Amino acid sequence: MKRQQCNIIFLLVLTFFLVPRAFAGPNDLVNLGQAIYNDLELSLNQNQSCMTCHHPSSGFADPENRVSPALLPVSDGSDPTLFGGRNAPSASYAGFSPIFHYDPVKGLFVGGLFWDGRATGRMDLTATEGMGDGPTGDPLADQAKGPFGNPVEMALTDSSDGTVLTEDQVVAIIQASDYAAKFKRVFGPNAFKDVMVAYNNASLAIAAFERSKKLNPFKSKFDKFVKEQGGDVRNFGVEINPNGFRQYVGPPAGFRSKVYCYDEADGLAIFNADSYTQKVVSPSGMNGGQCYLCHLTENHRVVADDPTRPVNGPEPGIYNPILTDFTYDNLGIPVNPRIAELAGPQSIDLGLGRADGFGQLDAAFGGTYPDADLEEGKFKVASLRNISRTAPYGHNGYFATLLDVVHFYNTRDVDTSWPAAEVPATVNGDELGDLGLTPAQERKLVLFMKTLND
């Protein structure tokens, strides 16, 4: 059901920026967001919270999926007989994703959340699922709006006659909760007067918690190695040729580290290096994995005046690598038949291409986007932080282990035993599929990625 969108955008900004400062301390918004994030009452059967599918024990992804990645590639909902159609991504470090936009230099769409980016954070689009009092200016807050009303997630859906809305139910539950006083302390004594604004504010509180150090601590073995290497590892283990080719050379002679063993460091070197096979260049050494192309090992910079920085987004500054470029790609992942067994027959998942139906691509492009069909089958490039705790892998959970993923990236186009891609027309054949890595190199890549856990 379509909602009437509030046009008074400044009301949202004032609600969030001014009122919290007047009524709350600096940590109250985060604590409130954590209370909402953990609240099981905010689901149809009072058995599911945000944390259920985004739990710290599994890198803020679904712990049930992690235990049985082949049998449970997707999550069940408040009604345990119902399952979603996509793998639950990790919530850790998601708050670094920029507002969904088109980068004319790269010719790529960047940012947003969900696998298809429909939680855009854009102020010129209706917020996620059309919920709340218009957009928030934050992809993370827009994403937080979606699960409450999703019929196969938390399932607080509209009544059949439209008299009871998801927003009404969510706000009523919060108002009756033991943290209602926190909500009023943060957003003022009239915090529950306008249901739609209160719903927006609840999503902003969840986003504040998801941006806190509890989900973004930068305390992995990798972070210690970055510090040990002087704060920059983007060129570790490679030499850059005059033509720009990043040649694998491995850890430096006499390599010593108090953090990494040799094979972990060699995994980073492989991660940072180009593949002769993939780039069709005459070999003069061992191939690299080219992983750095999408999972950046360069430090992440947040600029204060960047128009794609979300409202209440990360503080300006330089951060250790987030290990994603926030773009979208078709990796050629096959259909996962297990999802149909759990959730029923599935249509072809068009990913970012589906977003065109929301006007998402047009808005980001600044006019009618002429190549919407070229976005079909593309999904958000995930951060690799905490990756070994977040099995299964891929938008549809097709891969049960990290080694499965790496082997697919390495051999997709040369091993005929891999099934066909779900959306063949837009598969990325330039950056993966025939990397020419040895089995030992595949294992070293996995060893390196295991160091990314906080």
Side-chain angles (χ1 to χ4, degrees), residues 118-159:
R118 70 185 186 278
T120 65
R122 295 184 66 89
M123 299 300 281
D124 55 352
L125 287 174
T126 302
T128 303
E129 318 296 349
M131 303 179 79
D133 194 13
T136 62
D138 181 0
L140 200 57
D142 280 358
Q143 184 277 327
K145 294 181 178 185
F148 295 117
N150 189 306
V152 296
E153 293 186 61
M154 299 168 87
L156 295 178
T157 54
D158 295 350
S159 65

Side-chain angles (χ1 to χ4, degrees), residues 379-401:
F379 295 89
K380 187 82 179 285
V381 174
S383 167
L384 298 186
R385 284 185 169 270
N386 293 305
I387 191 67
S388 73
R389 293 183 179 144
T390 64
Y393 305 103
H395 70 278
N396 60 4
Y398 184 85
F399 306 103
T401 72

Side-chain angles (χ1 to χ4, degrees), residues 297-375:
T297 52
E298 64 186 60
N299 291 336
H300 182 70
R301 184 182 297 272
V302 176
V303 180
D305 59 357
D306 183 352
T308 70
R309 177 174 170 251
V311 169
N312 305 300
E315 289 296 318
I318 298 175
Y319 297 82
N320 283 353
I322 310 297
L323 294 145
T324 176
D325 64 357
F326 308 104
T327 63
Y328 296 79
D329 211 345
N330 182 352
L331 305 175
I333 298 176
V335 171
N336 188 344
R338 181 60 179 153
I339 295 179
E341 295 172 3
L342 293 169
Q346 303 288 301
S347 58
I348 294 174
D349 194 339
L350 299 178
L352 182 61
R354 172 178 175 266
D356 194 44
F358 302 110
Q360 178 177 329
L361 303 184
D362 290 347
F365 185 68
T368 302
Y369 182 60
D371 299 312
D373 57 328
L374 299 182
E375 307 307 319

Side-chain angles (χ1 to χ4, degrees), residues 2 15 32 37 46 105 136 139 166 177 192 221 223 249 262 271 276 286 300 354:
K2 292 183 178 179
T15 300
L32 171 63
Y37 186 93
Q46 295 82 51
V105 176
T136 62
T166 296
S177 72
F192 296 110
K221 195 173 184 179
D223 292 298
V249 295
Y262 184 89
F271 194 98
Y276 297 101
M286 292 185 68
H300 182 70
R354 172 178 175 266

Side-chain angles (χ1 to χ4, degrees), residues 57-93:
S57 67
S58 54
F60 292 94
D62 191 326
E64 291 186 359
N65 298 165
R66 181 189 180 188
V67 170
S68 301
L71 294 177
L72 287 176
V74 290
S75 303
D76 57 352
S78 185
D79 179 344
T81 67
L82 300 178
F83 290 83
R86 292 175 178 168
N87 176 27
S90 171
S92 66
Y93 299 93

Side-chain angles (χ1 to χ4, degrees), residues 7-18:
N7 292 321
I8 310 176
I9 298 302
F10 283 108
L11 175 62
L12 296 177
V13 179
L14 289 173
T15 300
F16 188 67
F17 278 115
L18 302 183

Side-chain angles (χ1 to χ4, degrees), residues 244-300:
F245 187 88
R246 296 169 63 87
Q247 181 178 354
Y248 165 84
V249 295
F255 171 75
R256 294 288 185 274
S257 171
K258 294 181 180 179
V259 181
Y260 272 5
C261 71
Y262 184 89
D263 283 352
E264 291 168 337
D266 200 27
L268 173 57
I270 297 165
F271 194 98
N272 275 337
D274 286 330
S275 164
Y276 297 101
T277 305
Q278 190 73 50
K279 289 184 175 291
V280 195
V281 176
S282 297
S284 60
M286 292 185 68
N287 283 312
Q290 304 195 153
C291 316
Y292 75 93
L293 289 170
C294 297
H295 301 284
L296 307 183
T297 52
E298 64 186 60
N299 291 336
H300 182 70

